[in-house]
Amino acid sequence: MGKEKEKSETRIIMDDDEFNKSIEPILPKKKIAADPDRDPKDINSHLKVNFEDVIAEPDTTHSFDKVWICSNAVFELAKFLLYRLLTTILAIPLSFVAGILFAVLSSIHIWYACFILFELSSLASLLKPVFHCVNLLAVVLSLLM
C-alpha cells in the first residue's frame, strides 16, 4: 500500500585521523522534558485514528505510490490543523460552560439533595417511636380478632 520497494545503501568511509573518538559531545545536549501524558487513563483510546484506518485500498488495486504518500500527508495535515483550530475556538468556551454546569450540579447536590436526605433521616428518627406504637397497636388488634 504505497510503500517503496527499493532499498538503497549509504556508506560513509572515514579515516581514523579524521574521526574524533571522544565520548564527550562538543556541545552540551539540552534535556528535553517528555511530553506529559494527557490521557493517562486511556479514556480516548478509540480516537487514535491513523490514515490506514480511514482510507484503505484493496490488495487487487493500488494507486500510484506518490498519490498514496501525498494523500497520507494531506490527511495528517488536515487532521492536525483542524484539531488545533477547533480546540482553539471551542476549548475555552466549552470548559467555561462545563465549569458552570458542574458548579450548579454540585450546589444542587450539596444544598438540596443532601439536605433533604438529612431531614428525612431526622424525621424518621423522630417518628420511630410513633411507628413502634402503631405496630404494637396493630399486633394487639390482630390478637383480639
Side-chain angles (χ1 to χ4, degrees):
M1 285 212 262
K3 294 181 182 175
E4 298 290 335
K5 304 283 186 200
E6 300 175 8
K7 292 183 180 179
S8 62
E9 292 185 25
T10 305
R11 293 183 189 186
I12 299 174
I13 301 172
M14 300 178 78
D15 293 334
D16 288 337
D17 296 331
E18 296 176 28
F19 187 67
N20 184 8
K21 293 185 177 181
S22 69
I23 298 174
E24 299 288 326
I26 295 172
L27 296 174
K29 292 185 178 180
K30 293 181 180 178
K31 292 184 179 180
I32 300 173
D35 289 337
D37 188 10
R38 293 187 179 184
D39 191 11
K41 295 181 182 177
D42 207 23
I43 295 170
N44 294 319
S45 62
H46 62 284
L47 294 178
K48 295 176 183 170
V49 179
N50 292 325
F51 178 70
E52 292 82 15
D53 298 334
V54 177
I55 300 173
E57 291 180 336
D59 291 333
T60 56
T61 57
H62 290 284
S63 62
F64 296 113
D65 288 341
K66 300 296 182 192
V67 171
W68 183 261
I69 292 168
C70 287
S71 61
N72 187 359
V74 169
F75 172 82
E76 293 295 332
L77 182 67
K79 182 177 77 167
F80 174 76
L81 290 177
L82 193 61
Y83 179 77
R84 290 286 172 106
L85 177 72
L86 288 175
T87 53
T88 302
I89 294 171
L90 298 176
I92 294 173
L94 284 178
S95 35
F96 182 73
V97 169
I100 290 173
L101 179 65
F102 180 73
V104 167
L105 290 176
S106 298
S107 175
I108 289 172
H109 176 73
I110 292 168
W111 294 105
Y112 295 107
C114 291
F115 180 73
I116 289 171
L117 290 175
F118 176 74
E119 290 300 319
L120 286 178
S121 65
S122 299
L123 184 64
S125 64
L126 289 175
L127 294 178
K128 191 174 184 179
V130 175
F131 289 136
H132 185 66
C133 290
V134 170
N135 188 20
L136 284 176
L137 184 62
V139 169
V140 169
L141 289 175
S142 66
L143 290 176
L144 291 176
M145 294 184 167

